[in-house]
Amino acid sequence: MKDESNDEPIRFLVSLGLRFTDKDEAIRQACRALTEIDCLDGEYAQSMLSREALSSTYLDRGLAIPHGTRDAMVQVKHDGIAVLQVPDGVSWGPQQIAQLIVAIAARSDAHLEILRHLLSVLRDEALLDKLKATTDAGEIELALTGKRGDTQ
Amino acid sequence: MKEFYKLRPFGFIPHKGAEADGPQNNFIAAVTACPTGIAHTFMAAESLEQAALALDYHIRIETQGAVGIGAELLPEEIARASFIVIAADREVDHARFSGKRVYETDTKTAIINGEALIKLASEKAAVQGGGETVITTRKLLKALLTSAHVFRHLMKGLSFMLPFAMIGGLCSTAALYFAPIDRTLSLSDLFTAKAPTLQMFLALGRDGGFALMIPMLAAAIGHSIANRAALAPAMIAGLVCNAMQTGILGAIGAGFLAGFAVRLLNYCIKLPKSLASIKPILLIPLFATLSSCLPMLYIFGPTLALFHSWVISFMQSSIHGFAAIAAGLILGGMMAIDLGGPVNKIAWLFAVSLLPAGIMQPTAAVMAAGITPPLSCALAVFLFSKRFTQEEHKNGRTALLQGLAFSTEGALPFALKEPPRVIPALISGSSLSAALSMALDIRFELPHGGLFALLIPCVTNHVLQYLAVIAAGTLLSALLLGLLKHADTS
C-alpha cells in the first residue's frame, strides 16, 4: 500500500499551560489542535472518545495517549500529533490524572518513531516532570521527535 | 543505537542461533495487540524489545496493529521460544501456542515496565491448557472455530488430491488408446505376470490414482487442520470412505473429522510430564482414528454412500436432454461466479468426484466453463482494444495463457474492477459453454490441464465440438463484456 503521508514528516503541535474541567473537553481540544495542523477531515473526537470507552489510554505518570479507532482512520488526512500540556492535570479515569496529553492521528506508520521517543520519556521520570512544567514548546518537540522544530 | 532503532521495523531483532530447533532458553516470542492497533500495540512491542535487550534475551514480536509491519510468528519461532508473552487488550488467538509456556497480560503492564514483565513471565508462564486453565465450552468452541479456515483446508486437500486424479485420468485415457483394461486385474497379478505389463501399469495407475485420491484428500485436509498428528487418522478414515463408496464428500468429512478430533484431543488430554510422551504416539492416534472412523462407518458413511450412488445413477440416467442442459447451466454459472473461489471449486469437485465412476460429461462442462472467462477477457481486450487500459492489455495476454491452462483466476483482474458488469457477462459465456458441452455429450477424461490436455490422444470424445463449444462461450462473454464496458464509459 503506497501512502503519501509516509513521505512527509509527521505534523506536530504543542499547546502549553491548558486547563480542562474533564476528559471530554480535553479530547475535543486535542481534535481542534489536530484540525488546526490540517490532519483531520471531519469529526474525530467521537472516535477518540469511543476508543477511551474501550479502555482508557492513560499510561502512567500523568501521560495519556488518546487516539481514534481503526474505522475512523479514513478521517485522518495527515499523520499528526498534538501535545496538550495540562499542568494542573485533568481526570482521565479512576486514579488517573493526565498532565501531558499526546493525541495521535495516524493512518500510516509515520507515528511509530514518536511512540519510541514517548516510551523513553516515560522511562525518564526527571525528563517527564520537566516536560509537564516547561514553558518551552520546543523542549517537548525535541523530546518526542528527536529534533527541535520552530513551533512556538 | 538510536539509528539502529530508527531503521528497523518493530518486532525484528536479528539474532543468532536461529538455525537450531527446539526451545532455546534465551529466545522469547511475544504478541502485542490492542483494540485499535495504533499506539499501545507498538509501545508495548518497543518496551518488550528494550527489556529483552537489557535482560540479554532474543525476542521476536508479532505486532497485531492497524499500521506498521507486524509479521505473524512462524511455527518454528513459536517452537523455539522458551516462553510466550502476550501483552494484549483484546482476545488473541491462543490455539497455536498449545503446549508452550504462556504468560498473558495487558499492554499497559508491558509499556510501563517491560523488564519486570519479562522477569515475571519467565517464572510464572504456565503451560497452555495445563494447570489452572479450566476448559469451558466457550473456550473449546473458540479453539475449534478459530482453526476452522474451512476453505483453506479444503484447498490444501484439493491440491494434494489433484495429482492422483490426474494420474487416474491419464491412465484411463492411455488405456483407451492402447488396450482395454481388464477390471478384474489386481496388484498381485503384476507379479505373477497374468497380464501384459503395460496394461497392468495402466490399470494400476487408473485404479490406484482414483483409489488413493480419497484417502489422500482426507489426509491432506487433516494435515492442514492439525498437522502431522492428523495424517494417520484422516488417511485411515479416508480408506473407510473408499470402502463404503462415499465419494469425495466422505473424504472431506473424514479429513475434517480427523483434524478436529486431533485438535480436540490435544486440548483435552492432560498428562503428567513423565507420561507426556505417550500422548502423541499412542493416545492421540488411537482416539482420533476411532473418533473419525466410527462416525464415518455408522453415521455419515451410509448416508453419504447413499447420496453418492444416487448422484451417480441420476447422472447416468438423465445425462441427456433437458436435465443435462440444466446441469450444464448451473455448473457453468458456478465456475464463473467467483472465478476460482469456493463456489468454483465446489463445481469442479462435483465433476471430479464423478470421474472414477466413469461419468466424464460434467468434467468436460466444468473445464469448458473454467476456460471461457479468462479467454473471453483476452478476446474482449483484442476486439474492443480502445476501451481497455494499457494494464488491461497486459492482463489480457496473461489471461489468454491462463485460460488455455484452465486457470479461471485469469479473469479476476477484469472482474474485480467492476464486478456487477463483468461477472454476469462471464457467467453467461461459461453457462453457455457448459450447457452446450453437456448437451453434445462431450466427455473429458482429465480433471485438469485445460486445452493443453487436448494434446493427449483420446482425452475427449469430440475434440472439434469441444473447441467449438468453448469458442461459442468465449465469444458470447467477450461481446457482452464489450457491450457492458461501453455502457459504462459512455
Side-chain angles (χ1 to χ4, degrees):
Chain A
M1 197 166 40
K2 195 97 179 93
D3 202 330
E4 51 171 280
S5 61
N6 259 340
D7 306 332
E8 72 172 279
I10 189 160
R11 301 182 178 199
F12 203 85
L13 182 70
V14 178
S15 323
L16 297 173
L18 301 175
R19 262 171 212 280
F20 300 109
T21 50
D22 60 12
K23 183 170 163 177
D24 252 59
E25 197 189 338
I27 283 182
R28 285 182 205 289
Q29 176 56 40
C31 287
R32 270 196 293 278
L34 285 169
T35 311
E36 204 174 303
I37 49 176
D38 201 26
C39 290
L40 297 181
D41 192 12
E43 159 70 29
Y44 197 64
Q46 208 46 54
S47 160
M48 279 199 181
L49 288 170
S50 54
R51 169 64 183 86
E52 294 294 331
L54 287 172
S55 72
S56 165
T57 58
Y58 181 86
L59 289 177
D60 196 24
R61 294 173 179 162
L63 188 62
I65 48 165
H67 51 267
T69 53
R70 214 179 268 215
D71 38 317
M73 223 181 251
V74 287
Q75 285 159 21
V76 178
K77 267 159 77 183
H78 297 285
D79 285 326
I81 304 271
V83 183
L84 312 185
Q85 186 206 47
V86 194
D88 294 339
V90 53
S91 168
W92 213 259
Q95 285 155 18
Q96 299 176 346
I97 305 291
Q99 289 167 287
L100 207 57
I101 300 164
V102 181
I104 304 166
R107 56 167 204 167
S108 73
D109 47 13
H111 67 298
L112 298 188
E113 195 48 44
I114 294 201
L115 296 181
R116 287 194 173 118
H117 287 284
L118 202 55
L119 195 72
S120 40
V121 169
L122 190 66
R123 297 264 182 279
D124 187 344
E125 205 159 351
L127 175 62
L128 187 55
D129 285 341
K130 199 167 95 183
L131 297 184
K132 282 179 199 167
T134 184
T135 51
D136 176 6
E139 203 164 5
I140 293 184
E141 183 162 3
L142 178 70
L144 291 187
T145 62
K147 51 188 174 288
R148 218 182 148 98
D150 43 6
T151 354
Q152 272 306 329
Chain B
M1 204 50 167
K2 270 260 148 65
E3 282 307 305
F4 170 62
Y5 272 117
K6 244 186 173 164
L7 292 170
R8 159 183 65 80
F10 278 86
F12 285 88
I13 281 201
H15 64 86
K16 298 184 187 87
E19 316 80 34
D21 30 311
Q24 292 171 330
N25 281 335
N26 64 342
F27 181 67
I28 318 173
V31 179
T32 63
C34 61
T36 45
I38 288 174
H40 292 74
T41 301
F42 298 101
M43 289 186 77
E46 180 67 12
S47 175
L48 282 173
E49 257 174 38
Q50 291 178 2
L53 214 59
L55 295 172
D56 208 22
Y57 277 109
H58 294 301
I59 193 165
R60 165 73 162 82
I61 304 173
E62 172 180 321
T63 48
Q64 300 186 348
V67 293
I69 305 157
E72 205 178 327
L73 289 172
L74 302 172
E76 49 277 26
E77 286 168 331
I78 294 171
R80 219 167 63 229
S82 73
F83 57 93
I84 318 271
V85 177
I86 299 176
D89 304 328
R90 61 178 175 83
E91 211 53 56
V92 166
D93 170 26
H94 280 65
R96 56 199 165 134
F97 302 130
S98 78
K100 299 297 294 185
R101 290 173 64 223
V102 177
Y103 188 83
E104 193 164 6
T105 183
D106 52 9
T107 54
K108 226 164 263 187
T109 314
I111 294 171
I112 290 167
N113 200 336
E115 286 186 33
L117 170 60
I118 288 184
K119 279 181 193 155
L120 188 68
S122 72
E123 286 167 22
K124 292 274 168 70
V127 174
Q128 170 140 330
E132 64 272 63
T133 329
V134 188
I135 305 169
T136 59
T137 21
R138 205 183 126 257
K139 263 190 176 171
L140 206 66
L141 258 172
K142 214 169 162 184
L144 284 180
L145 287 178
T146 47
S147 56
H149 307 286
V150 175
F151 184 59
R152 203 183 71 200
H153 301 315
L154 195 61
M155 285 307 293
K156 182 166 174 196
L158 294 189
S159 68
F160 274 69
M161 181 195 79
L162 181 61
F164 291 86
M166 281 304 271
I167 295 283
L170 274 173
C171 286
S172 56
T173 23
L176 278 179
Y177 196 63
F178 292 115
I181 294 174
D182 179 2
R183 272 210 164 263
T184 57
L185 291 176
S186 74
L187 185 57
S188 53
D189 295 329
L190 184 62
F191 300 110
T192 52
K194 278 186 193 156
T197 314
L198 175 68
Q199 203 181 345
M200 270 311 305
F201 272 124
L202 293 176
L204 267 182
R206 186 190 61 177
D207 293 348
F210 284 139
L212 285 174
M213 172 173 118
I214 301 288
M216 194 61 229
L217 174 60
I221 291 175
H223 184 265
S224 171
I225 299 169
N227 291 328
R228 206 176 41 198
L231 261 182
M235 205 178 260
I236 294 169
L239 219 52
V240 172
C241 295
N242 249 2
M244 300 185 75
Q245 304 271 327
T246 60
I248 283 178
L249 276 182
I252 295 172
F256 278 102
L257 266 177
F260 286 136
V262 168
R263 268 187 178 266
L264 201 68
L265 289 164
N266 239 332
Y267 200 84
C268 294
I269 300 178
K270 303 271 177 290
L271 287 178
K273 244 197 177 130
S274 50
L275 284 173
S277 66
I278 68 164
K279 181 172 152 180
I281 58 168
L282 176 65
L283 298 181
I284 288 187
L286 175 65
F287 289 115
T289 306
L290 285 178
S291 51
S292 43
C293 287
L294 290 180
M296 206 28 93
L297 265 174
Y298 295 108
I299 307 167
F300 304 118
T303 330
L304 289 174
L306 213 65
F307 178 69
H308 188 62
S309 67
W310 176 78
V311 169
I312 287 182
S313 63
F314 176 80
M315 289 307 290
Q316 269 165 347
S317 61
S318 52
I319 202 87
H320 310 288
F322 180 72
I325 294 175
L329 286 175
I330 294 170
L331 285 176
M334 287 173 77
M335 288 305 284
I337 197 160
D338 57 356
L339 302 168
V343 182
N344 167 293
K345 291 293 182 283
I346 288 171
W348 177 75
L349 202 57
F350 171 77
V352 176
S353 71
L354 296 171
L355 264 187
I359 301 171
M360 295 153 190
Q361 290 87 341
T363 316
V366 158
M367 184 97 78
I371 290 171
T372 308
L375 281 194
S376 56
C377 288
L379 183 63
V381 170
F382 179 72
L383 289 179
F384 312 101
S385 63
K386 277 182 201 147
R387 274 182 239 143
F388 289 89
T389 63
Q390 197 75 41
E391 200 192 336
E392 282 173 321
H393 278 260
K394 224 168 80 195
N395 287 339
R397 285 191 287 275
T398 329
L400 176 67
L401 283 175
Q402 282 182 297
L404 294 178
F406 182 47
S407 105
T408 320
E409 289 83 350
L412 270 180
F414 296 89
L416 289 177
K417 215 163 171 195
E418 33 182 355
R421 289 174 180 282
V422 175
I423 300 266
L426 297 180
I427 288 181
S428 319
S430 286
S431 290
L432 176 70
S433 284
L436 282 175
S437 168
M438 291 295 284
L440 293 171
D441 197 37
I442 300 176
R443 301 148 65 91
F444 207 89
E445 303 258 351
L446 282 186
H448 214 288
L451 291 184
F452 294 116
L454 286 176
L455 296 174
I456 300 164
C458 293
V459 76
T460 174
N461 50 347
H462 301 297
V463 180
L464 290 178
Q465 287 183 22
Y466 195 53
L467 288 174
V469 157
I470 292 174
T474 305
L475 196 62
L476 175 68
S477 279
L479 290 177
L480 282 173
L481 273 176
L483 205 70
L484 290 168
K485 267 290 250 205
H486 185 65
D488 187 50
T489 42
S490 62

